[in-house]
């Protein structure tokens, strides 16, 4: 049982990654992101999920410095944007992220989307392998990759990603992908774990939450953890940042887990990765 905010999953290269992190998509650079990151660190979070395209790496980096927490106690993820899949361009994009964050290494670097129309994600993966071999990043992975995208990069390079960060929540339970990743030793990480805040309006989840004396968000985050999935809920409000971390003192029953599993309707809030071609 995952019992503590400092509990970690062990990735396929032995690196430890916290089960809970703060997501910062759509959080403004400057005071907004700095306040959110500091609030999270004060609440005990040690993992932050950003991306070059979020435009807030600078603020994340400033908050990390201001927090005074030793760098090695933090786990920082950022992502290679879709326009930068060419090998040399990817290496340069990584250096730019490092500079913006003010760090000398990244804990986890992900290919943000495969962008199948460009047919460049194998090349991008080779660049990430190079960064890993050079010790600039402790673990490399992918995001929004279907099974066939993952198979393709493994077949081309022999290197298995440590993480696949995908949309995953009660309306999109991703059972097949979860099973595949488990077999391959790839840690699944849920983005939009709270269905972008909409979990609060699902009747069945509210009923379960009431039974445990927890909020719908807490129940859903706990459901993810019990499914072996890393979560990175986003909030800019200190009370919610704390609420989302207060999930380590209860355990959902098997039947409640199943009830949430059964809410699946394969609904995505973001595009299907096979149809996503945005590189702007
Ligand atoms: P989430 O499912 O985390 O939901 C965030 C929304 O829910 C915000 O509107 C937030 O509002 C609200 N919220 C947060 N906590 C609570 C709570 N306890 N009760 C009620 N509402 C709450 O959505 P995201 O799409 O932001 O996903 C999380 C993270 O995943 C992102 O920030 C990003 O880091 C990552 N991500 C990655 C993607 C990828 O392609 N790899 C794509 C999308 C996200 P408020 O801030 O006002 O509190």
């Amino acid at each position: 049982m995952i019992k503590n905010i400092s509990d970690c999953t062990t990735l396929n290269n032995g690196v430890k990654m916290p089960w809970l992190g703060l997501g910062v998509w759509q959080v403004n650079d400057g005071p907004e992101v700095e306040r959110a990151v500091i609030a999270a660190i004060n609440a005990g979070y040690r993992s932050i999920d950003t991306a070059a395209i979020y435009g807030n790496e600078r603020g994340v980096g400033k908050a990390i410095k201001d927090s005074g927490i030793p760098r090695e106690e933090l786990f920082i993820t950022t992502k290679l944007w879709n326009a930068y899949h060419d090998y040399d361009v990817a290496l340069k994009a990584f250096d730019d992220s490092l500079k913006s964050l003010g760090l000398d290494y990244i804990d986890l670097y992900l290919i943000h989307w495969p962008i199948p129309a460009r047919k460049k994600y194998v090349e991008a993966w080779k660049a990430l392998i190079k960064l890993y071999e050079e010790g600039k990043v402790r673990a490399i992975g992918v995001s929004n990759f279907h099974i066939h995208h993952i198979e393709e990069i493994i077949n081309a390079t022999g290197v298995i990603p440590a993480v696949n960060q995908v949309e995953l929540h009660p309306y999109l339970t991703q059972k097949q992908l979860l099973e595949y990743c488990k077999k391959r030793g790839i840690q699944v990480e849920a983005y939009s774990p709270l269905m972008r805040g909409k979990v609060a309006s699902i009747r069945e989840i509210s009923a379960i939450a009431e039974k445990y004396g927890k909020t719908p968000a807490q129940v859903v985050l706990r459901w993810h953890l019990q499914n072996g999935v890393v979560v990175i809920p986003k909030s800019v409000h200190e009370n919610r940042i704390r609420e989302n971390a207060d999930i380590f003192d209860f355990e959902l029953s098997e039947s409640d887990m199943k009830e949430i599993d059964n809410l699946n309707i394969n609904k995505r809030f973001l595009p299907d990765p096979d149809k996503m071609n945005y590189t702007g």
Side-chain angles (χ1 to χ4, degrees):
M1 172 169 163
I2 300 167
K3 281 190 174 153
N4 201 289
I5 193 167
S6 58
D7 285 353
C8 289
T9 177
T10 303
L11 302 179
N12 60 17
N13 64 348
V15 165
K16 299 221 184 288
M17 174 180 193
W19 286 105
L20 172 71
L22 177 77
V24 296
W25 181 36
Q26 294 180 321
V27 181
N28 293 314
D29 199 16
E32 189 177 53
V33 80
E34 289 163 29
R35 272 199 297 267
V37 171
I38 290 286
I41 288 175
N42 288 340
Y45 292 61
R46 290 295 177 267
S47 168
I48 309 293
D49 181 85
T50 184
I53 195 67
Y54 301 170
N56 55 22
E57 288 173 315
R58 203 166 294 278
V60 169
K62 181 173 186 310
I64 290 170
K65 279 229 167 63
D66 291 351
S67 77
I69 300 287
R71 169 68 184 95
E72 63 275 14
E73 287 179 26
L74 297 168
F75 190 98
I76 309 302
T77 301
T78 191
K79 312 183 191 89
L80 175 70
W81 182 239
N82 303 344
Y84 308 138
H85 285 187
D86 298 272
Y87 188 82
D88 288 335
V89 178
L91 297 178
K92 160 88 169 54
F94 176 84
D95 282 341
D96 289 347
S97 281
L98 216 49
K99 252 185 233 137
S100 299
L101 283 157
L103 299 176
D104 49 17
Y105 69 90
I106 300 290
D107 294 280
L108 178 64
Y109 198 45
L110 304 175
I111 300 178
H112 206 144
W113 291 85
I115 313 295
R118 287 198 68 208
K119 295 192 171 64
K120 289 270 182 178
Y121 52 89
V122 169
E123 192 170 326
W125 186 237
K126 287 180 180 165
L128 266 61
I129 293 169
K130 165 97 170 143
L131 293 166
Y132 180 69
E133 287 170 352
E134 286 176 350
K136 291 180 172 169
V137 52
R138 295 174 68 226
I140 51 175
V142 293
S143 176
N144 294 297
F145 271 45
H146 285 321
I147 293 172
H148 70 93
H149 304 126
I150 300 178
E151 285 289 301
E152 197 177 332
I153 60 169
I154 296 174
N155 289 340
T157 64
V159 179
I160 301 175
V163 170
N164 187 18
Q165 183 185 112
V166 293
E167 182 172 348
L168 201 172
H169 45 64
Y171 280 178
L172 182 71
T173 53
Q174 300 266 31
K175 286 295 172 198
Q176 203 192 349
L177 183 67
L178 270 177
E179 203 174 301
Y180 165 84
C181 286
K182 202 172 176 188
K183 269 195 207 130
R184 278 291 203 177
I186 300 167
Q187 176 62 55
V188 173
E189 180 178 22
Y191 77 65
S192 305
L194 300 175
M195 289 169 48
R196 323 218 58 216
K198 292 176 187 65
V199 290
S201 54
I202 301 176
R203 188 176 38 82
E204 292 87 343
I205 293 176
S206 297
I208 294 173
E210 214 164 292
K211 271 200 305 199
Y212 290 85
K214 288 285 177 181
T215 65
Q218 290 169 329
V219 160
V220 168
L221 293 172
R222 187 71 215 176
W223 168 79
H224 284 291
L225 296 184
Q226 288 181 218
N227 275 328
V229 171
V230 166
V231 287
I232 44 169
K234 172 261 176 186
S235 180
V236 291
H237 296 102
E238 188 173 352
N239 59 330
R240 284 178 170 170
I241 289 171
R242 289 186 177 275
E243 175 187 330
N244 295 341
D246 186 12
I247 54 173
F248 298 98
D249 59 350
F250 74 113
E251 182 91 3
L252 295 170
S253 70
E254 228 170 87
S255 66
D256 290 330
M257 287 292 292
K258 268 211 188 89
E259 193 176 345
I260 300 174
D261 284 337
N262 289 340
L263 295 172
N264 182 48
I265 47 172
N266 293 324
K267 178 179 167 51
R268 289 178 187 276
F269 293 91
L270 287 182
D272 182 317
D274 266 334
K275 297 185 182 126
M276 163 73 167
N277 289 313
Y278 178 69
T279 58

Tab-separated table of all heavy atoms in Angstrom, residues 237-276:
chain	number	residue	atom	x	y	z
A	237	HIS	N	-4.379	26.452	-6.415
A	237	HIS	CA	-4.929	26.842	-5.114
A	237	HIS	C	-4.322	25.992	-4.000
A	237	HIS	O	-4.412	24.767	-4.044
A	237	HIS	CB	-6.453	26.710	-5.124
A	237	HIS	CG	-7.095	27.646	-6.098
A	237	HIS	ND1	-7.563	27.242	-7.331
A	237	HIS	CD2	-7.281	28.981	-6.028
A	237	HIS	CE1	-8.023	28.301	-7.977
A	237	HIS	NE2	-7.869	29.363	-7.217
A	238	GLU	N	-3.767	26.700	-3.001
A	238	GLU	CA	-3.067	25.982	-1.934
A	238	GLU	C	-3.964	24.952	-1.261
A	238	GLU	O	-3.526	23.832	-0.968
A	238	GLU	CB	-2.533	26.979	-0.908
A	238	GLU	CG	-1.642	26.279	0.091
A	238	GLU	CD	-0.940	27.235	1.048
A	238	GLU	OE1	-1.012	28.465	0.862
A	238	GLU	OE2	-0.323	26.699	1.992
A	239	ASN	N	-5.245	25.319	-1.019
A	239	ASN	CA	-6.123	24.358	-0.333
A	239	ASN	C	-6.316	23.089	-1.159
A	239	ASN	O	-6.313	21.974	-0.638
A	239	ASN	CB	-7.468	25.004	0.030
A	239	ASN	CG	-8.211	25.540	-1.185
A	239	ASN	OD1	-7.583	25.948	-2.175
A	239	ASN	ND2	-9.526	25.529	-1.149
A	240	ARG	N	-6.422	23.220	-2.490
A	240	ARG	CA	-6.580	22.034	-3.336
A	240	ARG	C	-5.269	21.263	-3.488
A	240	ARG	O	-5.273	20.035	-3.562
A	240	ARG	CB	-7.093	22.432	-4.716
A	240	ARG	CG	-8.564	22.779	-4.709
A	240	ARG	CD	-8.981	23.199	-6.095
A	240	ARG	NE	-10.412	23.334	-6.224
A	240	ARG	CZ	-10.993	23.871	-7.289
A	240	ARG	NH1	-10.259	24.306	-8.304
A	240	ARG	NH2	-12.312	23.960	-7.344
A	241	ILE	N	-4.166	22.001	-3.532
A	241	ILE	CA	-2.853	21.338	-3.610
A	241	ILE	C	-2.695	20.431	-2.388
A	241	ILE	O	-2.270	19.281	-2.488
A	241	ILE	CB	-1.720	22.394	-3.715
A	241	ILE	CG1	-1.770	23.053	-5.104
A	241	ILE	CG2	-0.347	21.775	-3.437
A	241	ILE	CD1	-0.863	24.262	-5.277
A	242	ARG	N	-3.114	20.930	-1.227
A	242	ARG	CA	-3.048	20.123	0.008
A	242	ARG	C	-4.072	18.992	-0.020
A	242	ARG	O	-3.772	17.857	0.339
A	242	ARG	CB	-3.270	21.009	1.248
A	242	ARG	CG	-2.097	21.905	1.508
A	242	ARG	CD	-2.201	22.697	2.805
A	242	ARG	NE	-0.970	23.464	2.958
A	242	ARG	CZ	0.144	23.001	3.504
A	242	ARG	NH1	0.178	21.775	4.006
A	242	ARG	NH2	1.226	23.741	3.579
A	243	GLU	N	-5.265	19.326	-0.475
A	243	GLU	CA	-6.331	18.294	-0.559
A	243	GLU	C	-5.867	17.117	-1.440
A	243	GLU	O	-6.048	15.952	-1.081
A	243	GLU	CB	-7.588	18.940	-1.165
A	243	GLU	CG	-8.734	17.974	-1.433
A	243	GLU	CD	-9.883	18.654	-2.193
A	243	GLU	OE1	-10.097	19.877	-2.033
A	243	GLU	OE2	-10.565	17.938	-2.966
A	244	ASN	N	-5.236	17.449	-2.560
A	244	ASN	CA	-4.823	16.405	-3.503
A	244	ASN	C	-3.668	15.548	-2.963
A	244	ASN	O	-3.378	14.491	-3.515
A	244	ASN	CB	-4.432	17.029	-4.849
A	244	ASN	CG	-5.619	17.691	-5.529
A	244	ASN	OD1	-6.768	17.410	-5.201
A	244	ASN	ND2	-5.356	18.580	-6.481
A	245	ALA	N	-3.035	16.024	-1.891
A	245	ALA	CA	-1.945	15.249	-1.290
A	245	ALA	C	-2.417	14.458	-0.071
A	245	ALA	O	-1.666	13.650	0.470
A	245	ALA	CB	-0.812	16.196	-0.883
A	246	ASP	N	-3.663	14.687	0.322
A	246	ASP	CA	-4.173	14.010	1.526
A	246	ASP	C	-4.885	12.712	1.106
A	246	ASP	O	-6.094	12.552	1.284
A	246	ASP	CB	-5.118	14.982	2.259
A	246	ASP	CG	-5.580	14.427	3.591
A	246	ASP	OD1	-5.008	13.413	4.046
A	246	ASP	OD2	-6.546	14.994	4.145
A	247	ILE	N	-4.096	11.823	0.535
A	247	ILE	CA	-4.670	10.605	-0.076
A	247	ILE	C	-3.929	9.352	0.390
A	247	ILE	O	-4.054	8.293	-0.224
A	247	ILE	CB	-4.619	10.688	-1.622
A	247	ILE	CG1	-3.182	10.980	-2.112
A	247	ILE	CG2	-5.573	11.766	-2.144
A	247	ILE	CD1	-3.004	10.911	-3.619
A	248	PHE	N	-3.171	9.499	1.466
A	248	PHE	CA	-2.306	8.380	1.865
A	248	PHE	C	-2.778	7.682	3.144
A	248	PHE	O	-2.069	6.860	3.691
A	248	PHE	CB	-0.856	8.873	2.014
A	248	PHE	CG	-0.306	9.398	0.713
A	248	PHE	CD1	-0.298	10.762	0.437
A	248	PHE	CD2	0.144	8.525	-0.265
A	248	PHE	CE1	0.179	11.248	-0.776
A	248	PHE	CE2	0.620	8.998	-1.475
A	248	PHE	CZ	0.637	10.363	-1.736
A	249	ASP	N	-3.979	8.058	3.605
A	249	ASP	CA	-4.440	7.481	4.877
A	249	ASP	C	-5.708	6.650	4.706
A	249	ASP	O	-6.439	6.416	5.653
A	249	ASP	CB	-4.694	8.611	5.889
A	249	ASP	CG	-5.745	9.600	5.393
A	249	ASP	OD1	-6.148	9.526	4.207
A	249	ASP	OD2	-6.184	10.444	6.196
A	250	PHE	N	-6.020	6.256	3.484
A	250	PHE	CA	-7.202	5.400	3.299
A	250	PHE	C	-6.985	4.492	2.092
A	250	PHE	O	-6.103	4.725	1.267
A	250	PHE	CB	-8.487	6.224	3.151
A	250	PHE	CG	-8.652	6.930	1.821
A	250	PHE	CD1	-9.656	6.559	0.925
A	250	PHE	CD2	-7.815	7.973	1.459
A	250	PHE	CE1	-9.820	7.199	-0.296
A	250	PHE	CE2	-7.957	8.632	0.236
A	250	PHE	CZ	-8.969	8.242	-0.644
A	251	GLU	N	-7.801	3.445	2.044
A	251	GLU	CA	-7.655	2.448	0.982
A	251	GLU	C	-9.051	2.157	0.429
A	251	GLU	O	-9.974	1.856	1.189
A	251	GLU	CB	-7.041	1.181	1.620
A	251	GLU	CG	-6.756	0.045	0.680
A	251	GLU	CD	-5.341	0.088	0.090
A	251	GLU	OE1	-4.548	0.983	0.450
A	251	GLU	OE2	-5.062	-0.763	-0.772
A	252	LEU	N	-9.223	2.246	-0.883
A	252	LEU	CA	-10.526	1.930	-1.488
A	252	LEU	C	-10.706	0.413	-1.533
A	252	LEU	O	-9.760	-0.322	-1.819
A	252	LEU	CB	-10.591	2.487	-2.916
A	252	LEU	CG	-10.557	4.009	-3.053
A	252	LEU	CD1	-10.387	4.402	-4.523
A	252	LEU	CD2	-11.826	4.631	-2.488
A	253	SER	N	-11.926	-0.025	-1.302
A	253	SER	CA	-12.205	-1.466	-1.356
A	253	SER	C	-12.174	-1.921	-2.811
A	253	SER	O	-12.285	-1.105	-3.744
A	253	SER	CB	-13.583	-1.757	-0.762
A	253	SER	OG	-14.569	-1.255	-1.652
A	254	GLU	N	-12.054	-3.233	-2.980
A	254	GLU	CA	-12.033	-3.788	-4.335
A	254	GLU	C	-13.296	-3.422	-5.109
A	254	GLU	O	-13.248	-3.099	-6.294
A	254	GLU	CB	-11.913	-5.304	-4.238
A	254	GLU	CG	-10.845	-5.868	-5.145
A	254	GLU	CD	-10.585	-7.321	-4.840
A	254	GLU	OE1	-11.303	-8.161	-5.412
A	254	GLU	OE2	-9.682	-7.603	-4.021
A	255	SER	N	-14.438	-3.453	-4.408
A	255	SER	CA	-15.696	-3.177	-5.129
A	255	SER	C	-15.791	-1.696	-5.520
A	255	SER	O	-16.297	-1.359	-6.593
A	255	SER	CB	-16.909	-3.647	-4.335
A	255	SER	OG	-17.011	-2.886	-3.163
A	256	ASP	N	-15.262	-0.807	-4.681
A	256	ASP	CA	-15.265	0.618	-5.059
A	256	ASP	C	-14.292	0.870	-6.220
A	256	ASP	O	-14.575	1.673	-7.118
A	256	ASP	CB	-14.931	1.498	-3.853
A	256	ASP	CG	-16.065	1.504	-2.831
A	256	ASP	OD1	-17.233	1.350	-3.247
A	256	ASP	OD2	-15.784	1.646	-1.629
A	257	MET	N	-13.164	0.157	-6.201
A	257	MET	CA	-12.211	0.262	-7.321
A	257	MET	C	-12.915	-0.150	-8.618
A	257	MET	O	-12.810	0.534	-9.648
A	257	MET	CB	-11.004	-0.655	-7.085
A	257	MET	CG	-10.032	-0.197	-6.009
A	257	MET	SD	-9.119	1.298	-6.450
A	257	MET	CE	-8.080	0.722	-7.781
A	258	LYS	N	-13.636	-1.255	-8.542
A	258	LYS	CA	-14.335	-1.772	-9.737
A	258	LYS	C	-15.407	-0.808	-10.212
A	258	LYS	O	-15.576	-0.593	-11.410
A	258	LYS	CB	-14.996	-3.121	-9.399
A	258	LYS	CG	-14.111	-4.262	-9.714
A	258	LYS	CD	-14.866	-5.527	-10.132
A	258	LYS	CE	-13.859	-6.642	-10.223
A	258	LYS	NZ	-13.662	-7.356	-8.953
A	259	GLU	N	-16.123	-0.226	-9.242
A	259	GLU	CA	-17.189	0.706	-9.627
A	259	GLU	C	-16.616	1.891	-10.420
A	259	GLU	O	-17.200	2.324	-11.410
A	259	GLU	CB	-17.944	1.192	-8.389
A	259	GLU	CG	-19.227	1.904	-8.781
A	259	GLU	CD	-20.078	2.340	-7.598
A	259	GLU	OE1	-19.859	1.873	-6.463
A	259	GLU	OE2	-20.969	3.193	-7.851
A	260	ILE	N	-15.449	2.352	-9.993
A	260	ILE	CA	-14.824	3.471	-10.728
A	260	ILE	C	-14.322	2.980	-12.089
A	260	ILE	O	-14.541	3.641	-13.110
A	260	ILE	CB	-13.695	4.128	-9.886
A	260	ILE	CG1	-14.272	4.661	-8.568
A	260	ILE	CG2	-13.033	5.275	-10.685
A	260	ILE	CD1	-13.248	5.208	-7.588
A	261	ASP	N	-13.699	1.794	-12.108
A	261	ASP	CA	-13.262	1.210	-13.400
A	261	ASP	C	-14.424	1.156	-14.398
A	261	ASP	O	-14.248	1.405	-15.591
A	261	ASP	CB	-12.788	-0.243	-13.207
A	261	ASP	CG	-11.402	-0.324	-12.561
A	261	ASP	OD1	-10.651	0.652	-12.661
A	261	ASP	OD2	-11.099	-1.373	-11.959
A	262	ASN	N	-15.597	0.826	-13.877
A	262	ASN	CA	-16.757	0.622	-14.761
A	262	ASN	C	-17.335	1.914	-15.328
A	262	ASN	O	-18.252	1.884	-16.150
A	262	ASN	CB	-17.851	-0.151	-14.018
A	262	ASN	CG	-17.445	-1.602	-13.816
A	262	ASN	OD1	-16.572	-2.109	-14.519
A	262	ASN	ND2	-18.047	-2.273	-12.831
A	263	LEU	N	-16.816	3.054	-14.884
A	263	LEU	CA	-17.304	4.338	-15.424
A	263	LEU	C	-16.704	4.617	-16.810
A	263	LEU	O	-17.116	5.546	-17.506
A	263	LEU	CB	-16.940	5.488	-14.479
A	263	LEU	CG	-17.603	5.461	-13.088
A	263	LEU	CD1	-16.997	6.548	-12.194
A	263	LEU	CD2	-19.117	5.660	-13.212
A	264	ASN	N	-15.733	3.792	-17.205
A	264	ASN	CA	-15.031	4.036	-18.472
A	264	ASN	C	-15.981	4.173	-19.667
A	264	ASN	O	-16.856	3.337	-19.862
A	264	ASN	CB	-14.066	2.879	-18.751
A	264	ASN	CG	-13.284	3.101	-20.023
A	264	ASN	OD1	-12.740	4.182	-20.232
A	264	ASN	ND2	-13.250	2.095	-20.894
A	265	ILE	N	-15.805	5.246	-20.443
A	265	ILE	CA	-16.549	5.393	-21.708
A	265	ILE	C	-15.571	5.789	-22.838
A	265	ILE	O	-15.968	6.303	-23.869
A	265	ILE	CB	-17.695	6.444	-21.597
A	265	ILE	CG1	-17.192	7.741	-20.931
A	265	ILE	CG2	-18.888	5.875	-20.838
A	265	ILE	CD1	-18.205	8.888	-20.956
A	266	ASN	N	-14.275	5.561	-22.585
A	266	ASN	CA	-13.234	5.908	-23.568
A	266	ASN	C	-13.336	7.348	-24.057
A	266	ASN	O	-13.177	7.629	-25.239
A	266	ASN	CB	-13.256	4.935	-24.752
A	266	ASN	CG	-12.849	3.538	-24.316
A	266	ASN	OD1	-11.984	3.378	-23.459
A	266	ASN	ND2	-13.499	2.529	-24.874
A	267	LYS	N	-13.627	8.244	-23.133
A	267	LYS	CA	-13.744	9.669	-23.502
A	267	LYS	C	-12.426	10.407	-23.257
A	267	LYS	O	-11.863	10.347	-22.171
A	267	LYS	CB	-14.831	10.340	-22.650
A	267	LYS	CG	-14.943	11.828	-22.957
A	267	LYS	CD	-16.009	12.504	-22.153
A	267	LYS	CE	-15.928	14.017	-22.225
A	267	LYS	NZ	-15.857	14.568	-23.574
A	268	ARG	N	-11.967	11.088	-24.312
A	268	ARG	CA	-10.751	11.897	-24.192
A	268	ARG	C	-11.092	13.377	-24.134
A	268	ARG	O	-11.983	13.824	-24.859
A	268	ARG	CB	-9.850	11.694	-25.429
A	268	ARG	CG	-9.200	10.356	-25.511
A	268	ARG	CD	-8.372	10.229	-26.795
A	268	ARG	NE	-7.893	8.874	-26.927
A	268	ARG	CZ	-6.787	8.406	-26.337
A	268	ARG	NH1	-6.023	9.223	-25.635
A	268	ARG	NH2	-6.433	7.147	-26.472
A	269	PHE	N	-10.350	14.129	-23.314
A	269	PHE	CA	-10.472	15.595	-23.320
A	269	PHE	C	-9.454	16.190	-24.287
A	269	PHE	O	-9.636	17.284	-24.788
A	269	PHE	CB	-10.279	16.149	-21.906
A	269	PHE	CG	-11.392	15.758	-20.972
A	269	PHE	CD1	-11.308	14.605	-20.204
A	269	PHE	CD2	-12.558	16.510	-20.908
A	269	PHE	CE1	-12.345	14.219	-19.364
A	269	PHE	CE2	-13.608	16.130	-20.074
A	269	PHE	CZ	-13.501	14.984	-19.302
A	270	LEU	N	-8.376	15.456	-24.537
A	270	LEU	CA	-7.368	15.896	-25.513
A	270	LEU	C	-7.410	14.934	-26.708
A	270	LEU	O	-7.993	13.850	-26.617
A	270	LEU	CB	-5.988	15.949	-24.857
A	270	LEU	CG	-5.802	17.120	-23.883
A	270	LEU	CD1	-4.402	17.149	-23.305
A	270	LEU	CD2	-6.091	18.465	-24.544
A	271	PRO	N	-6.792	15.309	-27.831
A	271	PRO	CA	-6.917	14.495	-29.046
A	271	PRO	C	-6.322	13.095	-28.907
A	271	PRO	O	-5.407	12.880	-28.103
A	271	PRO	CB	-6.110	15.284	-30.081
A	271	PRO	CG	-5.927	16.637	-29.535
A	271	PRO	CD	-6.035	16.550	-28.054
A	272	ASP	N	-6.844	12.168	-29.719
A	272	ASP	CA	-6.224	10.854	-29.852
A	272	ASP	C	-4.824	11.081	-30.423
A	272	ASP	O	-4.659	11.772	-31.435
A	272	ASP	CB	-7.057	9.998	-30.813
A	272	ASP	CG	-6.486	8.597	-30.955
A	272	ASP	OD1	-5.253	8.448	-31.067
A	272	ASP	OD2	-7.285	7.656	-30.965
A	273	PRO	N	-3.787	10.516	-29.776
A	273	PRO	CA	-2.404	10.753	-30.228
A	273	PRO	C	-2.168	10.404	-31.699
A	273	PRO	O	-1.297	11.008	-32.341
A	273	PRO	CB	-1.579	9.843	-29.319
A	273	PRO	CG	-2.382	9.730	-28.066
A	273	PRO	CD	-3.822	9.750	-28.508
A	274	ASP	N	-2.928	9.470	-32.263
A	274	ASP	CA	-2.744	9.140	-33.683
A	274	ASP	C	-3.257	10.252	-34.592
A	274	ASP	O	-2.926	10.301	-35.776
A	274	ASP	CB	-3.458	7.821	-34.022
A	274	ASP	CG	-2.511	6.641	-33.923
A	274	ASP	OD1	-1.289	6.840	-34.096
A	274	ASP	OD2	-2.995	5.524	-33.659
A	275	LYS	N	-4.093	11.140	-34.038
A	275	LYS	CA	-4.682	12.204	-34.868
A	275	LYS	C	-4.125	13.570	-34.517
A	275	LYS	O	-4.510	14.576	-35.109
A	275	LYS	CB	-6.201	12.202	-34.681
A	275	LYS	CG	-6.810	10.894	-35.154
A	275	LYS	CD	-8.319	10.931	-35.100
A	275	LYS	CE	-8.864	9.576	-35.530
A	275	LYS	NZ	-9.764	8.990	-34.571
A	276	MET	N	-3.246	13.606	-33.559
A	276	MET	CA	-2.700	14.889	-33.095
A	276	MET	C	-1.500	15.258	-33.961
A	276	MET	O	-0.480	14.559	-33.959
A	276	MET	CB	-2.298	14.720	-31.620
A	276	MET	CG	-1.373	15.776	-31.093
A	276	MET	SD	-2.227	17.341	-30.848
A	276	MET	CE	-1.023	18.219	-29.884
